[in-house]
Amino acid sequence: MVKRFVDDIIVSGDVGKIEEYLDLGTEVKSNPDYLIFFKEYFKEIRGLLDKGCDFDYDLLTFEEAKKSDVKSIEQYEKYYSHYEQVFFIICNDQITLPLIVENDKIISFQSKMLKKYGGDYSPFLLNK
């Protein structure tokens, strides 16, 4: 599902089917510009995937990323304990997009959508 999301939404730039992949709660949907935000955000991620690895990215689970040479993996260990739900889009051994999946839907992106708690960051959950 995550690979399809990256290809169907991020690489294509088409956010029309976004709700097939994301579990969006009322806090997100109540913002009339949420689709504009996602379109711009995914455009930025698409640019990183294009320039960084020519769209030849890897999709790793949290455990796979922890065992590999991925840089800055430790920052994702602080405030989310359900590591079996965490996936990373990796481009040139760097985390391009961390995601949290629950019930076959993406419930969080951990880059640029973080809440600050006591000096550290926690994922912003899209389904709240």
Side-chain angles (χ1 to χ4, degrees):
M1 186 275 301
V2 174
K3 172 96 169 94
R4 281 193 337 267
F5 166 74
V6 173
D7 292 339
D8 289 353
I9 304 294
I10 295 176
V11 173
S12 79
D14 180 12
V15 296
K17 299 186 295 182
I18 200 166
E19 291 190 39
E20 289 179 30
Y21 298 98
L22 304 183
D23 185 6
L24 300 175
T26 55
E27 186 177 338
V28 173
K29 286 183 177 180
S30 66
N31 183 336
D33 296 329
Y34 81 92
L35 283 177
I36 294 168
F37 169 80
F38 285 131
K39 189 170 187 162
E40 289 302 311
Y41 180 66
F42 297 151
K43 182 179 178 181
E44 182 181 328
I45 299 299
R46 183 174 58 252
L48 293 172
L49 291 174
D50 183 17
K51 292 176 187 166
C53 55
D54 201 26
F55 295 108
D56 186 21
Y57 64 88
D58 293 313
L59 171 62
L60 301 179
T61 65
F62 181 86
E63 287 302 317
E64 291 168 335
K66 196 167 178 172
K67 293 175 186 175
S68 72
D69 293 330
V70 173
K71 296 170 182 68
S72 69
I73 187 75
E74 66 281 347
Q75 77 183 44
Y76 297 97
E77 295 181 273
K78 295 183 180 179
Y79 277 101
Y80 199 78
S81 60
H82 302 287
Y83 299 125
E84 70 280 358
Q85 297 173 305
V86 178
F87 296 85
F88 298 100
I89 305 302
I90 309 294
C91 185
N92 284 337
D93 296 325
Q94 300 228 358
I95 297 169
T96 303
L97 184 64
L99 304 136
I100 300 173
V101 175
E102 185 176 271
N103 298 323
D104 293 320
K105 293 266 191 165
I106 296 167
I107 64 166
S108 181
F109 307 111
Q110 287 183 310
S111 60
K112 289 196 177 181
M113 293 181 74
L114 299 168
K115 289 185 176 182
K116 193 166 186 174
Y117 292 109
D120 278 317
Y121 290 95
S122 178
F124 177 86
L125 299 176
L126 298 168
N127 61 349
K128 299 297 175 190

